[in-house]
Amino acid sequence: MTNKTQQTRRAFLKNLGLGTAAATAAAAVTSTQAVAATPAHSDEKPSGYRESDHVRSYYASLRGQ
């Protein structure tokens, strides 16, 4: 293996490691900013799962009732 090839490999691996570290740091900063932008308390109702009458009816049908 030539000296030029070894230098090229070393540069590639070094840059690969630096790129991974930079991506990890960027992801950490982005997630920190997203958490900071979320209000600590909101008067709005959550928009997630709600057990309504038709959902209860479906669950009952699964139990055989």
Side-chain angles (χ1 to χ4, degrees):
M1 197 179 308
T2 66
N3 192 23
K4 177 79 172 169
T5 304
Q6 289 177 338
Q7 289 177 352
T8 304
R9 281 187 183 177
R10 286 181 188 155
F12 171 76
L13 293 173
K14 179 177 139 185
N15 291 334
L16 182 66
L18 291 174
T20 303
T24 303
V29 168
T30 303
S31 67
T32 302
Q33 289 174 347
V35 169
T38 304
H41 178 65
S42 177
D43 293 333
E44 297 178 18
K45 292 183 179 180
S47 62
Y49 174 81
R50 286 183 224 118
E51 190 173 310
S52 61
D53 289 334
H54 74 280
V55 172
R56 284 187 216 99
S57 172
Y58 175 72
Y59 288 158
S61 73
L62 293 176
R63 290 188 298 264
Q65 298 176 349

